[in-house]
Amino acid sequence: MTEPGNPQPEENLRTGGKGRRRAGKGRTPQGGGRAGRNLPAAIAVGLSLGLVLLAALLIEPIALLAVLVAASGVGAWEMARALSTTGARPPLIPLIAGSVLMTGLAWYEGADALFLGLIVTIGAAALWRLADGVAAVRRDFTPSVLIAVYGPFLLGFAAMLVRQMEHGNLLVIGTLVAVVLSDTGGYAAGVFLGKHAMAPKISPKKSWEGFAGSVTAAAIGSAALLFFMVGVPVYWGLLFGALISVVAVLGDLAESMLKRDLGVKDMSNLLPGHGGLMDRLDSILFAIPTAYLFFSIITPS
């Protein structure tokens, strides 16, 4: 996701960390997007993905299962591809099969089954690598755990949110809108007000002013949307939006840090104008489990 006040989050990969500007300065022109990105293609792809997801949520819920399975599998492939730059060789077959298993278990059986699927996936990946020796297991165990958790496991909470919560499909939409509001509010505040760097070593243009804009926009927008859409009290909506904004920014920072450590600009080039699917899901992956836990607490069954 676009970082608050940071339309070019991977600048340091090209500059080697030199030439950092003060947060809020040296911004790209409005509408310019990230350097080297095809803006029309990015808009077209983004709208297409949004419409597919919206249709799955509103028209045929079982279609969301197919979307989640596809996203989990693609995410596992992208993560394995990116982690291979470190010399790791996480086994794709058990990891992709495990991503399908986890999504299905979360959809039909719930949280306990999702955790079981995670354990089975990690165990299968370790056994697969055991054929190449104990050294291969040691080398690829941590990358395999990261792939299994950061993607398939976290996306499994979307399945549980839809299946286990009343108006679950609308709650997913509310969560996605909160992420978009956080992203947009943070970008606007960062562009016009950003002066104090938030995490200069990870994302040099992310500012505290942008973060404040993220939280404000997500809180106010979520309070209004959830109240009119599913009748959630305004105070819960404000808290929900603020929490989603915080975890969305953390997810954004986490992926930026991971990509910097790996030395890659994008997880893949699968989506024109966007990079990889995981580059689009960075904030959402943290937001969906937070939403599930939040609504589980305020609306216990």
Side-chain angles (χ1 to χ4, degrees), residues 25-77:
K25 302 295 182 182
R27 306 174 187 96
T28 55
Q30 276 188 312
R34 296 182 182 184
R37 298 292 171 92
N38 186 329
L39 186 58
I43 293 173
V45 170
L47 287 175
S48 299
L49 291 174
L51 288 173
V52 168
L53 184 57
L54 193 62
L57 284 165
L58 294 178
I59 298 174
E60 181 52 62
I62 194 66
L64 179 63
L65 176 60
V67 171
L68 292 174
V69 166
S72 296
V74 171
W77 169 76

Side-chain angles (χ1 to χ4, degrees), residues 90 117 202 282 294 298:
I202 300 174
D282 49 7
F294 180 85
I298 71 168

Side-chain angles (χ1 to χ4, degrees), residues 34 36 53 71 112 173 175 184 187 217 221:
R34 296 182 182 184
L53 184 57
D112 291 343
I173 292 173
T175 304
T184 305
Y187 178 81

Side-chain angles (χ1 to χ4, degrees), residues 65 68-69 98-110 113-114 156 159:
L65 176 60
L68 292 174
V69 166
S99 71
V100 175
L101 174 67
M102 279 188 277
T103 306
L105 288 175
W107 183 270
Y108 289 108
E109 299 297 335
L114 175 61

Side-chain angles (χ1 to χ4, degrees), residues 180-191:
V180 172
L181 288 171
S182 173
D183 186 47
T184 305
Y187 178 81
V191 165

Side-chain angles (χ1 to χ4, degrees), residues 226 232-233 236-237 239-240 291-301:
L226 292 177
V232 172
W236 284 129
L239 179 58
F240 172 77
Y292 175 81
L293 294 173
F294 180 85
F295 289 115
S296 296
I297 292 171
I298 71 168
T299 57
S301 57

Side-chain angles (χ1 to χ4, degrees), residues 8-22 199-205 260:
Q8 294 179 341
E10 305 306 326
E11 180 183 25
N12 277 10
L13 288 178
R14 298 188 296 274
T15 64
K18 297 180 180 179
R20 290 181 179 171
R21 300 181 178 90
R22 195 177 74 175
K201 292 185 178 180
I202 300 174
S203 182
K205 290 186 180 180
R260 287 178 187 280

